[in-house]
Amino acid sequence: MNTVRFTRDHEWVRLDGDLAVVGITDYAQSQLGDVVYVELPEIGHRVEKGKEAAVVESVKAASEVYAPVSGEVAEINDTLGAEPAQVNADPMGAGWFIKLRLDDARELDDLMDEEGYKRFVEEQH
Amino acid sequence: MNDWSRALSNRAVEDLAIPATTAGGNRGLQIEEKLIFEQDSPGRCGVDLIEAPSFRARLGGLERQGVIGLPGLSEPQVVRHFTRLSQKNYAIDSGLYPLGSCTMKHNPRLNEKLARLPGFADIHPLQPASTVPGALALIDTLAHWLKILTGMPAIALSPGAGAHGELCGIMSIRAALEARGERRSRVLVPESAHGTNPATAAACGYSVDSVAGNRRGRVDVAVLKATLDADVAALMLTNPNTCGLFEDQILEIAAAVHEAGAFFYCDGANFNAIVGRVRPADLGIDCMHLNLHKTFSTPHGGGGPGSGPVALAGNLAAYAPLPWLVHGPDGLELVEHKQNQALRAIGRLKGFHGQMGMFVRALAYMMSHGADGLRQVAEDAVLNANYLRVRLENDLSVSFPGPCMHEALFDDGFLKDTGITTLDFAKALIDEGYHPMTVYFPLVVHGALLIEPTETESKASLDEFADTLKALAAKARSGEAAGFRAAPRWTPRRRLDETAAARKPILRWDPATVDRQAEK
Amino acid sequence: MRYLPLTDRDRRDMLAAIGVDSIDALFADVPDAARLPDLLDLPTAKGELEVERLLSQMAARNIPAGSVPFFVGGGAYRHHIPAAVDHLVQRGEFLTSYTPYQPELAQGTLQYLFEFQTQVALLTGMEVANASLYDGATACAEAVMMANRLTRRGKAVLSGGLHPHYREVCETYARFVGFDLAVQDPLPDGDEDLAGLLGRDISCVVVQSPDFFGEIRDYSGLARTCHDAGALLVVVVTEILSLGAICPPGEMGADIVAAEGQSLGNALNFGGPHLGLFASRNKFVRQMPGRLAGQTVDADGRRGWVLTLSTREQHIRREKATSNICTNSGLCALAFTIHLTLLGETGLTRLARLNHAAAVTLAERLGRIPGIRILNRAFFNEFALRLPRPATAVVDALAEKGVLAGIPVSRLYPERTELANTLLVAVTETVTPDDMDRFEREIGEALS
């Protein structure tokens, strides 16, 4: 099962085995503009749902990326160092940020599904 | 039309102009200029110095080994290099510089002459105070003028710039609260505030809460009162605010802030609108930094140096940073340590005594204008901004109804459905020969355009500027998006790739780096 | 009024266009209680002649350094500035331009900042430098805060050889920004054990080279020890010209250099405006405060420059900025760049050598005067003397005789009675043999 969930801060999270993959959405990257730098946490670092997990920078803005779920950082996408543009080109795929070892899969339940997120974005305008 | 004029008609010239190349890459007076490191000739020097006689060095065996890597150029080459660089810059001396909240007024040359008098420029901060009574007198006179203009009893003169002044203010407030035995943890900042305000508060350990504005572009007083509590250390307000509007409920705001036991800090960036007509002390302000490089004409110098003195109310004066200049029994005295009356000073914020070079310039400016002239400055500044507002109100979108103060705020409503952004509009304005207004600030409106002409623009200059903006706005609405996106075309460089600059920063010349210049 | 272009006719026409009767209508939002009915109690407008007369009178009451034998240093140095520098910085396109936020209209500023950043990196032996800060003292505080961020530790060791003003600024920031300092005592004739102070809570050790008393030391060993302990080495340089003669901090293993650039291109100006220099390693660049000029290309593929890595700065990060700094010391940085370009490799090394030679000469002469002891083993262009009597009185006596003899250390350390007899003497290329003769004679007399 490969369901993606979304937060109101435009992060997405997807289960990949027992890890939760986290990134920012296409809407978020289009708002930011060209991504120039991503500041990722260290492996082993603990993040809490709703708290800052990473920072994504474009030329004109810097945005916090909040953890959609709580857990421990198991992997980070270190290709973003050399190629931050992947966040713009493929935000839901190659532009992933971190993989978390989930505390509690039930935390995914109160996040929006794809349809819900689409509606949420439309309401923003 | 004859053959000659036909050949030179606009159409023909445009066809020729894109792309226009010359053999060497220069374009008339626009000269390409390499880096100094690319003009090196080893051993060459632009200064004649005698050789030191032979002597026994006492450098502890730590002589510098190897080459530093500095290029050698002669004086003519150096003069030409920097002259050519200067010719690539826009400046107040060249044209109207409508940057909002920057107050790009004329920089009088008298200021430059007087700042260079040896009696001001060639004195050391640590030579005996008895050898520099005139310097102390100048600082004291400046302080006097600033006290009268602000209505406040004390001025801290050492901060090196506006942001530094903000730091001074918030530190003084925190010191005062600590002296009262209070530990408050919040600072309130309007959502329209300049980024230095929250950065300063956060730097001093405060959490920053944003206060929403109302439909009239001012602080929402009800929201403010609801968020004020005994944990708020200060409200940081700009007045007039960054939307160019006077906070008309300011007395109520001050009362509410004081009732909560908090301090009222004012960012004085926009003092030009009210100087000589309103005293911040009369508005209930406890602490306000001034920008000598804005209101008081000291030159912006391409980014500095500035000077940010801070006016302090009686309940904050004791905490002012060192050094203090006091009227002692034997005349003016420089107090450089936390002793006697300066025991509770927050300490030093900068080396030595403050930006003396800017003090001289600012005082020359103030004396030139006088009380009457300064009042006229504020009036003309406000008049000029309102004149532009009404000339443009049918072409650009005014963000808030009613008169403005010294700057007028517009948003990108007028660009709706044109495919042109505020940024594109600003770049097209560059081709028209103007530095753009402030864009995308304040954040409270979409695609902001903030215009501050200042009082040193003539009516003719304003009319030309307004006519240009009107023409551009019309062009934007007529569907010429591509032209705007390609702008600017007539500057020494066209739009620069800021993404590449941030992704792969090249922050110095390096002999090993491959030059990215695509041109052969 | 010569700076106000609007005529009364203009004002009337403009008010009419706006649709108000008087200018007061545009100030209607000002509360009644705050309206000033009359002019403030200040003098009225004056012409240039009068302003010039008033300020010249004030200036004339001061003794300029160039008019007397002058030996005052202590973090600000009197050097000769070539005439071309001041002419170039006064070009309107430099003097009256703003921060280069619209790079297409500011390639002049951006190019010289790029050159400046390169010069500072070369001089200090570091990989990257910023476009300047307010002065050396604030640069030092910024360096400590950067080290705290990088190491995630909250305590810095400050050498006793650090300029007292720099230490004081660090103390102010420490108190309010929230970090700790382990401040060492000044030891003008001894060596500190800074390595012994390292621990898991120490973010950096801050040393100065040459130090406040003029002493030059090799900090390479300390650098290694710091790194082994997970701390950074911050090196402060208050006399930037010294880097024309001595080993730069980068070659000693410094992680951050915070320096004062006033010596090149900039007059003493009674202490301001001066020029903060800041340099570090590439890997730390995103934690550096201040502006950075970066190279890029334009839409035609031609090389150009922009301000970059701006997301660190206050106007974007707001609460999360690396610093609240907005202004750099632009025009002072330009003066530095021009002066250093005129000097070049040959000129800078020659000028540094001249300074050192002059200082060595005077030190030897003064050291032969009975009662005077030179405290330094090594020095560049400033050294510390131990006099047989309190230095303040000696300096005052010499000032009466028209010689500005240096800085009595007690001016900066009033509470340290053990330093009351210590005098700092600086000697630059502007000191003549006559000046040295007079100094030697007058101080000999004052001490006999």
Side-chain angles (χ1 to χ4, degrees), chain A residues 37 52 57-58 60 62 64, chain C residues 152 286 311 316-317 320:
Chain A
Y37 186 71
E52 181 185 314
E57 291 182 24
S58 68
K60 296 295 179 201
E64 280 73 44
Chain C
R152 290 183 228 247
R286 285 190 142 84
T311 49
I316 301 201
R317 270 335 273 283
K320 311 233 169 154

Side-chain angles (χ1 to χ4, degrees), chain A residues 65-124:
Chain A
V65 175
Y66 301 103
V69 293
S70 313
E72 188 189 294
V73 179
E75 282 175 50
I76 57 174
N77 185 356
D78 45 28
T79 68
L80 293 183
E83 289 300 327
Q86 291 177 98
V87 179
N88 299 111
D90 188 9
M92 310 284 300
W96 65 274
F97 280 44
I98 56 177
K99 292 188 186 177
L100 296 173
R101 194 155 287 119
L102 267 183
D103 280 353
D104 184 355
R106 282 171 300 176
E107 278 184 331
L108 289 163
D109 294 345
D110 21 282
L111 300 177
M112 291 179 274
D113 64 10
E114 194 154 357
E115 269 312 304
Y117 178 67
K118 250 200 212 145
R119 278 198 304 277
F120 172 71
V121 169
E122 270 154 36
E123 278 161 28
Q124 299 266 291

